[in-house]
Amino acid sequence: LEEVPLEVLRQRESKWLDMLNNWDKWMAKKHKKIRLRCQKGIPPSLRGRAWQYLSGSKVKLEQNIGKFDELDLLPGDPKWLDVIERDLHRQFPFHEMFVSRGGHGQQDLFRVLKAYTLYRPEEGYCQAQAPIAADVPRGHWGAHPLSLGLQQAFWCLVQICEKYLPGYYSEKLEAIQLDGQILFSLLHKVSPVAYKHLSKQKIDPILYMTEWFMCAFSRTLPWSSVLRVWDMFFCEGVKIIFRVGLVLLKHTLGSSDKLKSCQGQYETMERLRALSPKIMQETFLVQEV
């Protein structure tokens, strides 16, 4: 975990407070500065609030006052409720927020996911939405479960599904398949060695990048790295997810030395499932991205 000196953290906090208190002015004139500050990492004490501003979920909530409460009171479609219920105990089984079946964390997560199925009934629920919905409040360090408030967590999920990763959670996964092909084309430029190896092994991108992209790496990276990736993701969008994917592929399969133990399709997939901790480490990864 990258240790930021307390003095530096305090300076960053005061800069972020100024930005958040004058958000429209900063967005209009100094967007580049916001981007640089997101790359340095948002101070933990302000992360939850900053994500709301960056994602536009704050505005969305203000435009839809009372909408979440309205959805929350509705019973929901039993088809989706059963699937969500089964998924809940799988989310962060060792995290205190979600560990107890029927506990606050699980109940709150259930309410957010149920509300989304009512908000977008044609889309319903997709398993990858659970870690996304659970991670939004976890970005607000050391506070009460779903400390962003259920409404903020809900509208943040809406923004991720509709603005950042549109089409990712639809039944046929067309958007994911398309982005898998784009990632593979970009890999040709970034790491010809990795590209050639995956081509030769006939490994379709959908086999290794689906969970990466659909969960925005929350199921892959250590938590400190997830926070830093999401700081940039909320500011710059899906291109950050592509960059992280390219860094992981390049540093896992990008040299003949690395490929010695990846002779076949099975070995290559195993290597991509068990990535080296070094390349996922916060400082290294963010620098590379």
Side-chain angles (χ1 to χ4, degrees):
L1 184 65
E2 187 186 16
E3 284 294 328
V4 180
L6 197 61
E7 198 181 315
V8 175
L9 199 57
R10 292 280 173 266
Q11 285 171 357
R12 285 186 190 172
E13 278 177 346
S14 68
K15 286 174 181 175
W16 269 94
L17 273 171
D18 175 57
M19 281 199 312
L20 294 170
N21 292 334
N22 302 281
W23 190 250
D24 292 344
K25 188 181 83 181
W26 277 85
M27 281 297 278
K29 293 183 177 170
K30 298 181 179 175
H31 193 266
K32 195 175 176 184
K33 193 82 173 165
I34 296 176
R35 194 172 77 227
L36 287 169
R37 287 181 181 172
C38 287
Q39 288 169 359
K40 282 183 182 174
I42 300 169
S45 61
L46 298 169
R47 186 170 262 128
R49 192 175 158 200
W51 283 3
Q52 289 173 61
Y53 280 70
L54 287 162
S55 67
S57 64
K58 181 180 180 288
V59 172
K60 201 89 170 164
L61 190 156
E62 287 162 359
Q63 290 168 345
N64 294 276
I65 297 291
K67 182 69 179 172
F68 174 77
D69 295 331
E70 189 189 304
L71 297 169
D72 194 33
L73 291 170
L74 295 171
D77 184 334
K79 171 180 80 171
W80 296 123
L81 302 188
D82 287 349
V83 185
I84 294 169
E85 196 76 63
R86 281 201 301 272
D87 269 358
L88 283 185
H89 68 281
R90 297 180 191 141
Q91 303 311 320
F92 310 103
F94 306 111
H95 193 278
E96 59 188 29
M97 270 168 63
F98 304 106
V99 74
S100 61
R101 203 159 193 156
H104 275 302
Q106 286 200 15
Q107 283 176 12
D108 290 350
L109 190 51
F110 178 85
R111 286 165 68 189
V112 169
L113 294 168
K114 182 199 82 171
Y116 188 81
T117 66
L118 290 160
Y119 182 71
R120 284 281 175 262
E122 72 287 356
E123 203 172 286
Y125 167 73
C126 167
Q127 201 176 44
Q129 286 170 318
I132 289 278
D135 271 354
V136 168
R138 284 185 75 211
H140 203 305
W141 269 125
H144 184 268
L146 292 190
S147 59
L148 281 174
L150 288 182
Q151 294 197 61
Q152 286 101 321
F154 172 73
W155 290 111
C156 220
L157 174 66
V158 167
Q159 288 296 87
I160 291 170
C161 295
E162 297 186 357
K163 174 183 156 189
Y164 288 89
L165 306 173
Y168 271 39
Y169 306 106
S170 65
E171 209 178 340
K172 294 192 178 98
L173 302 178
E174 293 107 327
I176 272 286
Q177 293 189 50
L178 180 62
D179 280 0
Q181 296 307 323
I182 294 169
L183 177 74
F184 199 49
S185 301
L186 291 168
L187 185 64
H188 192 226
K189 282 184 175 179
V190 172
S191 177
V193 174
Y195 175 85
K196 191 177 168 189
H197 178 75
L198 288 165
S199 299
K200 188 177 149 195
Q201 298 294 342
K202 295 186 170 55
I203 297 173
D204 194 288
I206 201 112
L207 295 173
Y208 54 83
M209 56 72 74
T210 304
E211 188 176 75
W212 290 358
F213 276 50
M214 286 182 81
C215 299
F217 291 99
S218 63
R219 276 279 178 271
T220 308
L221 300 173
W223 183 235
S224 59
S225 301
V226 173
L227 290 171
R228 295 291 302 279
V229 166
W230 280 35
D231 287 348
M232 296 184 286
F233 169 60
F234 279 126
C235 182
E236 299 179 60
V238 75
K239 70 178 179 186
I240 295 297
I241 303 298
F242 277 96
R243 285 184 194 172
V244 175
L246 291 167
V247 169
L248 298 181
L249 289 167
K250 177 186 171 182
H251 288 281
T252 303
L253 305 170
S255 70
S256 51
D257 198 40
K258 290 181 172 77
L259 293 177
K260 279 176 190 165
S261 59
C262 297
Q263 294 302 311
Q265 200 177 65
Y266 174 79
E267 291 84 355
T268 304
M269 284 304 298
E270 283 301 296
R271 177 56 61 88
L272 289 172
R273 283 191 194 107
L275 296 160
S276 155
K278 179 189 173 287
I279 66 170
M280 297 191 287
Q281 192 260 333
E282 176 191 348
T283 320
F284 176 83
L285 183 69
V286 171
Q287 186 63 43
E288 287 292 306
V289 167

